Amino acid sequence: MAIQTPWGGPYGGGPPPPPPNIPAKDLRPRRIWYLVAALLGLVLAGVGTAFIVVTVKNTVDLIDTTRSFSSGDSQTFHFVQGETKAIYVSQSGKGRVQCRIPDLGSGSLTQPDSTFHITIGSRTWERVFEVKPDSSGEYALTCTSELPAEFALGDKPQVGATIGSIAAGVVCFLAAFVAAAAITIVTAVRRSRHRRRLLAGWAPAPQWGPPPQWGPPHAGPPPGPPPGPQY
């Protein structure tokens, strides 16, 4: 039972009603941006994976291991004039390696300025010589080592391109994480601010009447009939 206050408002009318429940679909930006963040992250991660997988595959395919030969043996390969090939060795230590192609000029077989290693299966291959023939044709390659070894012919490695492709893959992975996280965080923050703005515009109906007018007594003659003769 409500009690009427002297200034007209009810007393004991109960607590104010709870704030309205704002549907998630009414908030902005829409929740579809969470899906956009996830899809963008997946796409960038997929591109990064493709970079790395293709780079590894191309690196593995550098060496023709199906036509490898043992130390002291010979193998005939087809060489193209001006096309550089690399000779790789797989051995258990640092044995001294020698290779020769008798039918090519002495300047066709050179040692590279840098080292390059690649592991394929259980074997590690090291580039030891490069061949740049001055004429095309079939030529016999003979190699020997102080240690038991296997030799193979392959393409010249493109070290710069390999490093660049792997770096591009890593950058794509980082971009996937940063982009997805940024879109998710910005969307969540803006939706939270939008909810607060909507709630701020909602004001519950007043539960109390107007406050009493307190202050000094009214100055003037007391209430009553006006002075003068009464008839």
Side-chain angles (χ1 to χ4, degrees):
M1 176 179 179
I3 302 175
Q4 188 74 17
T5 62
W7 49 88
Y11 179 81
N21 183 22
I22 301 175
K25 63 182 181 64
D26 292 341
L27 299 178
R28 296 294 182 272
R30 294 184 180 275
R31 288 179 293 181
I32 193 174
W33 284 101
Y34 293 129
L35 178 61
V36 171
L39 291 177
L40 180 60
L42 289 176
V43 169
L44 290 175
V47 172
T49 301
F51 268 116
I52 295 176
V53 169
V54 170
T55 301
V56 171
K57 183 180 183 301
N58 291 340
T59 304
V60 170
D61 291 343
L62 282 176
I63 307 174
D64 185 8
T65 57
T66 61
R67 300 190 62 196
S68 63
F69 57 98
S70 301
S71 175
D73 294 340
S74 296
Q75 183 69 271
T76 300
F77 297 96
H78 179 76
F79 292 92
V80 178
Q81 182 180 2
E83 181 180 327
T84 303
K85 291 291 185 177
I87 301 173
Y88 297 86
V89 63
S90 176
Q91 56 186 355
S92 57
K94 289 292 184 180
R96 187 167 178 266
V97 173
Q98 291 183 335
C99 290
R100 58 190 179 89
I101 305 176
D103 296 334
L104 283 179
S106 59
S108 299
L109 188 63
T110 59
Q111 286 185 317
D113 297 332
S114 59
T115 60
F116 179 82
H117 296 79
I118 179 174
T119 299
I120 303 175
S122 60
R123 283 185 175 273
T124 298
W125 297 87
E126 178 186 1
R127 179 185 55 172
V128 288
F129 291 102
E130 290 183 352
V131 183
K132 189 174 183 180
D134 52 10
S135 60
S136 300
E138 303 286 331
Y139 297 97
L141 171 64
T142 303
C143 293
T144 59
S145 175
E146 297 174 341
L147 299 173
E150 285 287 316
F151 293 88
L153 190 69
D155 294 327
K156 179 182 178 180
Q158 303 296 327
V159 179
T162 300
I163 295 175
S165 297
I166 294 177
V170 173
V171 169
C172 285
F173 276 112
L174 293 177
F177 174 78
V178 172
I183 294 175
T184 301
I185 293 174
V186 170
T187 301
V189 170
R190 294 185 62 183
R191 285 174 63 85
S192 177
R193 290 177 179 175
H194 189 209
R195 180 187 295 274
R196 289 199 297 268
R197 287 197 302 269
L198 293 178
L199 290 176
W202 175 85
Q207 300 297 307
W208 303 94
Q213 301 296 324
W214 303 103
H218 178 71
Q230 301 291 325
Y231 297 102

